[in-house]
Amino acid sequence: MGTQLGVGVIGVGMLGRMHAENLARRIHRARVTAIADARLDHARSVAAELGVSNVYATAEEVAADPDVDAIVIVSNDGAHAEGILAGAKHKKHI
């Protein structure tokens, strides 16, 4: 099997959680390496369920994580730009 893609998920509300679960459980060449949500307690809860150790409150923190190769942004519309800019700054796939 080839190298796995480390994915950071920004926003783990209902849809973000579903995307994180699918990445963690159904996409064999991907692994969720970081989760971020403005509701840090919620992010920690989702991360614990999925076995993700890197939990953050901001998109910048996820993008700066060296274990993150790509970012999935599932935050509200107003926060998308922050995730895109952070990902671009750190040369992550978005």
Side-chain angles (χ1 to χ4, degrees):
M1 183 188 236
T3 304
Q4 288 189 317
L5 181 71
V7 180
V9 179
I10 300 171
V12 285
M14 188 169 64
L15 287 176
R17 178 191 195 110
M18 182 176 63
H19 286 308
E21 288 174 350
N22 285 334
L23 284 162
R25 297 182 178 144
R26 298 177 186 254
I27 310 299
H28 300 289
R29 294 220 170 153
R31 63 187 172 91
V32 178
T33 55
I35 288 178
D37 197 281
R39 300 164 301 156
L40 195 52
D41 288 341
H42 182 67
R44 285 185 183 122
S45 174
V46 173
E49 288 179 28
L50 298 177
V52 177
S53 58
N54 298 329
V55 181
Y56 304 110
T58 68
E60 176 64 30
E61 292 171 300
V62 170
D65 187 320
D67 292 330
V68 172
D69 302 308
I71 297 172
V72 174
I73 303 170
V74 201
S75 57
N76 62 48
D77 291 346
H80 269 75
E82 176 188 350
I84 292 167
L85 292 172
K89 174 183 168 186
H90 292 279
K91 297 180 169 67
K92 307 293 180 166
H93 297 281
I94 303 165

